[in-house]
Amino acid sequence: MTVQTFTPNQTTTLETAKKTLTEQDKDQPSQAGHRIGFISLGCPKNLVDSERILTQLRTEGYDIVGTYQNADLVIVNTCGFIDSAVQESLDTIGEALNENGKVIVTGCLGVRENEIREVHPNVLAITGPHAYENVLEQVHQYIPRPEHNPYTSLVPDHGVKLTPKHYAYLKISEGCNHKCTFCIIPSMRGDLVSRPVGEVISEAERLKNAGVKELLVISQDTSAYGVDTRHKLDFANGTPIRHNLQSLCEALGQQGIWVRLHYVYPYPHVDDLIPLMADGKVLPYLDIPFQHASPRVLKMMKRPGQAERTLERIKKWREMCPELVIRSTFIVGFPGETEEDFQILLDWLQEAQLDRVGCFKYSPVEGATANDLAEQVPESVKQDRYERFMQVQQAISTEKLKQRIGSTMQVLIDEVDDEGAIGRTYADAPEIDGLVYLNGETSLKPGDQVNAVIEHSDEYDLWASLAL
């Protein structure tokens, strides 16, 4: 039994868009000549861009269709973060051209227009990331705006969403001020630009009113929110509020729904968020991309923070909020990484006892300065270190989940089928963390929040029954 939700790395998200929009469009006839197919690749930040474009298309009366054959034009929102993502994007553009013929490209890979044109010269138009107005202008050029009555073809206040109805991504800023040597995102998406805090709060309220039970706060660097505005004062519903993460979280915490923080750099002011988690204002969950623990490798990566000091802060955080769950991602096989560096990482991992961890083998990215820093680590060594890393973390995860057995936890249901229900606790973000299986509970519905007694666990998932 799997959760049938939007998966950002799928290349067939036309079907997802069709499923997402079916409930809104089932009584509206499709307009020949004004039908748009849409494919969204990459991370949740790209997904939010897709949702904004789709919302504007729907507002103007275009139909969103789920197959190449029924579309008059196809938009591909690309990813260009690593070489495998670039290839997937190029392959998807080619698939759309072969199946439909009329393709507009947008997204991160769009900043490398020459590379796209070299492979696919027949693409109609290309724009970079979060270029919503440019995408619409291009659509207008090839498919004029349809005549439609906005009073009989309404778009919800919260816009078009590609996630299930009960959770949504809330993007609070664009771009990033860091110059990490393995990353080219700043060259694609630019420097940090924070959204007005009043606008963010307003969107959160619309999402809650639409039935969203969980807000996933995302950006390239969530901790830096408001740095570019010098934390100026703004207003939300007439209440003054500053552009900083703590004030934003305090406001979001008043919504009475789950608020989950992603991509949080461990700046000192993150300490101020822990009391909000201890008080139940936001979920006691931090997604912090540590990337490594060796001081030498971190320096080559140009990553902020000191590994030893971070261990002390993690201990302090857990003392303040014992329920805190920390997830992170790491890179092994970074250019110049020695066995000693890798052992430092393993020792740090054992000490940190993180709850949820992802690991990636370093992949050269065109344009990343890390490619020229030092000698590349052989692929066989990368694979060996990846397996050893995951073996250590798997043991940590197994032991931590065992400690959940016998406890009662709130579970947000994601899917129900004839085998039962499947959901997540506060400790699990959709698509990336573990699941909770409630076998036989077929009367529940997606979006339900229930209390469940944990009865069994394995390396990553939990099994439970409804609390009496």
Side-chain angles (χ1 to χ4, degrees):
M1 183 168 56
T2 58
V3 182
Q4 299 298 322
T5 55
F6 177 80
T7 304
N9 62 6
Q10 288 179 334
T11 61
T12 55
T13 56
L14 282 170
E15 286 298 320
T16 303
K18 181 179 180 181
K19 293 175 184 176
T20 304
L21 297 170
T22 295
E23 290 303 310
Q24 299 168 20
D25 295 346
K26 61 184 178 181
D27 296 325
Q28 299 299 325
S30 180
Q31 298 187 66
H34 300 100
R35 300 170 300 195
I36 307 293
F38 202 102
I39 304 174
S40 185
L41 305 173
C43 65
K45 295 178 286 295
N46 223 35
L47 175 64
V48 173
D49 292 344
S50 296
E51 291 174 337
R52 290 180 180 177
I53 295 170
L54 286 168
T55 297
Q56 188 58 40
L57 288 169
R58 284 297 326 283
T59 300
E60 294 186 0
Y62 291 95
D63 289 321
I64 311 301
V65 297
T67 63
Y68 291 121
Q69 291 73 22
N70 291 336
D72 298 298
L73 180 149
V74 176
I75 300 172
V76 180
N77 192 4
T78 60
C79 178
F81 181 51
I82 58 177
D83 286 354
S84 59
V86 170
Q87 189 58 53
E88 180 185 33
S89 293
L90 291 173
D91 290 345
T92 303
I93 294 168
E95 177 184 285
L97 283 169
N98 291 334
E99 296 292 332
N100 183 275
K102 292 185 176 181
V103 177
I104 289 175
V105 175
T106 188
C108 289
L109 189 59
V111 300
R112 295 152 68 173
E113 180 171 355
N114 291 340
E115 183 174 337
I116 296 173
R117 295 274 183 204
E118 183 178 344
V119 181
H120 301 300
N122 294 328
V123 166
L124 296 178
I126 300 173
T127 64
H130 52 84
Y132 320 118
E133 292 182 1
N134 290 340
V135 173
L136 268 295
E137 289 173 0
Q138 293 166 354
V139 171
H140 298 158
Q141 181 179 347
Y142 295 99
I143 302 182
R145 296 188 190 190
E147 294 183 6
H148 81 295
N149 186 341
Y151 298 103
T152 60
S153 181
L154 299 177
V155 177
D157 287 341
H158 60 280
V160 173
K161 292 296 172 185
L162 294 176
T163 51
K165 292 181 179 180
H166 58 281
Y167 69 81
Y169 293 102
L170 182 66
K171 185 158 65 169
I172 63 174
S173 66
E174 299 284 1
C176 179
N177 290 341
H178 292 292
K179 305 301 178 186
C180 301
T181 57
F182 56 83
C183 181
I184 59 173
I185 292 298
S187 66
M188 293 179 170
R189 289 186 170 262
D191 292 337
L192 175 72
V193 178
S194 299
R195 292 179 63 194
V197 67
E199 180 182 303
V200 175
I201 299 302
S202 178
E203 181 179 352
E205 291 174 347
R206 291 195 302 272
L207 290 168
K208 176 191 174 183
N209 293 336
V212 166
K213 305 291 183 64
E214 177 181 14
L215 291 173
L216 299 111
V217 178
I218 59 169
S219 66
Q220 199 64 35
D221 178 5
T222 297
S223 302
Y225 178 72
V227 168
D228 56 312
T229 66
R230 298 185 180 181
H231 306 300
K232 70 176 182 179
L233 194 67
D234 195 5
F235 291 87
N237 297 323
T239 301
I241 180 171
R242 294 218 171 260
H243 280 78
N244 63 57
L245 186 57
Q246 182 179 357
S247 297
L248 175 62
C249 287
E250 289 174 348
L252 292 176
Q254 297 175 14
Q255 300 295 321
I257 58 179
W258 283 7
V259 176
R260 188 183 303 276
L261 302 180
H262 284 286
Y263 317 126
V264 179
Y265 278 72
Y267 301 140
H269 66 265
V270 171
D271 295 0
D272 299 330
L273 302 179
I274 307 303
L276 297 178
M277 297 179 177
D279 292 341
K281 299 294 179 60
V282 298
L283 292 181
Y285 177 102
L286 278 176
D287 179 357
I288 303 179
F290 291 119
Q291 305 297 11
H292 215 281
S294 163
R296 194 181 73 89
V297 174
L298 287 171
K299 184 177 181 180
M300 290 192 295
M301 289 180 168
K302 290 191 176 180
R303 294 290 290 178
Q306 298 177 341
E308 285 302 320
R309 187 171 297 175
T310 300
L311 284 174
E312 296 174 3
R313 293 176 67 202
I314 289 174
K315 181 179 179 181
K316 177 183 175 182
W317 293 342
R318 286 172 170 159
E319 289 173 351
M320 297 170 63
C321 181
E323 293 300 309
L324 178 65
V325 164
I326 302 175
R327 99 166 308 275
S328 188
T329 51
F330 295 85
I331 297 173
V332 297
F334 189 80
E337 180 192 61
T338 65
E339 179 61 28
E340 181 180 359
D341 292 322
F342 179 67
Q343 190 58 53
I344 290 173
L345 173 58
L346 291 185
D347 292 343
W348 189 93
L349 195 64
Q350 289 279 21
E351 181 72 19
Q353 292 286 298
L354 303 182
D355 301 86
R356 300 294 195 188
V357 171
C359 181
F360 301 91
K361 294 179 289 184
Y362 177 78
S363 174
V365 180
E366 183 179 345
T369 57
N371 300 333
D372 303 319
L373 285 176
E375 184 177 349
Q376 296 289 316
V377 176
E379 189 61 35
S380 60
V381 176
K382 291 181 188 178
Q383 183 63 31
D384 174 71
R385 290 176 182 172
Y386 170 82
E387 292 174 0
R388 289 159 60 194
F389 179 98
M390 292 308 298
Q391 186 176 19
V392 169
Q393 180 56 35
Q394 188 177 72
I396 293 172
S397 178
T398 298
E399 188 57 36
K400 279 186 165 288
L401 290 182
K402 277 185 181 178
Q403 297 172 16
R404 299 281 188 189
I405 295 176
S407 66
T408 299
M409 303 186 72
Q410 188 177 55
V411 177
L412 178 60
I413 302 301
D414 282 328
E415 182 198 14
V416 181
D417 61 19
D418 56 6
E419 295 181 35
I422 185 170
R424 297 172 289 108
T425 71
Y426 79 90
D428 306 298
E431 304 289 346
I432 56 176
D433 292 329
L435 302 169
V436 181
Y437 294 92
L438 293 98
N439 294 334
E441 298 295 342
T442 57
S443 62
L444 298 175
K445 302 184 300 298
D448 284 349
Q449 289 177 296
V450 299
N451 291 324
V453 179
I454 309 302
E455 298 175 336
H456 177 69
S457 66
D458 64 10
E459 299 92 341
Y460 304 112
D461 300 322
L462 299 170
W463 281 258
S465 61
L466 292 180
L468 299 178

